[in-house]
Amino acid sequence: MAFDPLEDREVDLQPVQDEMGANEMITHVETSNACSSLNIMAEDSQQSTKRSNHTWTAEEDKVLVECLIDIGSNFKGDNGFKPVFSAAIEKLMHQRIPGCTLRGIPHITSWVKLLKNHYNAIAEMIGPNGGSGFGWNDIKKQIEVEREIFNDWVTSHPNAKGLFNKPFPYYESLGAVFGKDVATELNVEEPADTVYEME
């Protein structure tokens, strides 16, 4: 059985005092900066979390998708992207957008996750296993569905939240990045095929 140092709190200090003598006893403890540096680290962590609330521009979106298409396949593993992909995407985005301050973590990784969730949600809605009443408007690049049907769908598919009447212009492009993952799960068709079958 493992020894628990907190189990027996009463300690007899008399033998230690007898051995050390009165002059060697600890009478005071100096303060340390260890706690204050931990507080500073915690404050920095909270500030960096606040700084991660970045509003993406249309240009940043476009360049991110281009970067994902250009080098994303080099960083794909069995369970999604390898950990180093965000640093590679960050470097590429900094080259392509002068003055870009986006960081791999948290900006790029969180935005890629959101893009993947939205891609998967659309693929599921318009795929063969999706709900009836869903279509893809190739001109507006968005889901076409009645509000009531969409609201019912979102209750059991939270990743679709926010996609009603909202263009997702990179759906076809992101198919090259995320499509294989989703196609194996959902047997997804391309949006153009779905529109053709509906007509």
Side-chain angles (χ1 to χ4, degrees):
M1 188 160 127
F3 171 72
D4 182 3
L6 299 178
E7 196 172 278
D8 185 15
R9 293 179 182 226
E10 288 187 28
V11 179
D12 184 12
L13 296 177
Q14 192 58 45
V16 175
Q17 289 173 350
D18 291 344
E19 249 181 58
M20 292 177 65
N23 292 339
E24 296 177 24
M25 293 294 293
I26 298 172
T27 56
H28 74 282
V29 176
E30 303 242 351
T31 58
S32 167
N33 290 333
C35 288
S36 60
S37 64
L38 288 176
N39 289 338
I40 291 168
M41 286 170 42
E43 287 170 11
D44 287 346
S45 171
Q46 289 171 352
Q47 287 174 355
S48 67
T49 303
K50 290 176 186 173
R51 278 185 242 130
S52 70
N53 294 334
H54 175 76
T55 303
W56 284 69
T57 66
E59 181 188 12
E60 289 169 343
D61 268 348
K62 180 179 177 283
V63 172
L64 174 62
V65 171
E66 289 170 358
C67 292
L68 285 170
I69 292 167
D70 290 349
I71 66 169
S73 60
N74 298 334
F75 295 95
K76 292 271 298 236
D78 293 337
N79 298 321
F81 288 108
K82 296 174 184 173
V84 294
F85 102 95
S86 62
I89 298 285
E90 175 187 321
K91 183 177 179 183
L92 200 54
M93 287 190 74
H94 287 202
Q95 290 172 356
R96 294 182 182 185
I97 303 174
C100 180
T101 59
L102 292 170
R103 295 285 166 234
I105 297 172
H107 304 123
I108 293 169
T109 52
S110 62
W111 201 247
V112 167
K113 182 178 179 180
L114 178 72
L115 290 174
K116 184 175 183 177
N117 286 344
H118 283 180
Y119 176 87
N120 290 346
I122 292 170
E124 189 173 3
M125 284 186 272
I126 64 177
N129 300 328
S132 63
F134 288 96
W136 178 255
N137 184 324
D138 204 37
I139 295 167
K140 293 182 178 178
K141 303 292 184 194
Q142 67 185 33
I143 290 291
E144 282 192 342
V145 65
E146 291 179 23
R147 181 70 178 186
E148 208 171 288
I149 295 171
F150 183 81
N151 289 344
D152 288 343
W153 180 267
V154 169
T155 58
S156 59
H157 299 83
N159 283 342
K161 188 176 181 178
L163 290 174
F164 183 75
N165 279 345
K166 181 180 176 187
F168 193 72
Y170 306 110
Y171 180 75
E172 288 91 355
S173 302
L174 289 172
V177 180
F178 304 128
K180 185 186 259 187
D181 299 339
V182 178
T184 55
E185 295 171 16
L186 305 172
N187 298 320
V188 173
E189 300 177 64
E190 288 296 313
D193 297 336
T194 305
V195 171
Y196 177 77
E197 287 180 17
M198 287 173 54
E199 292 172 355

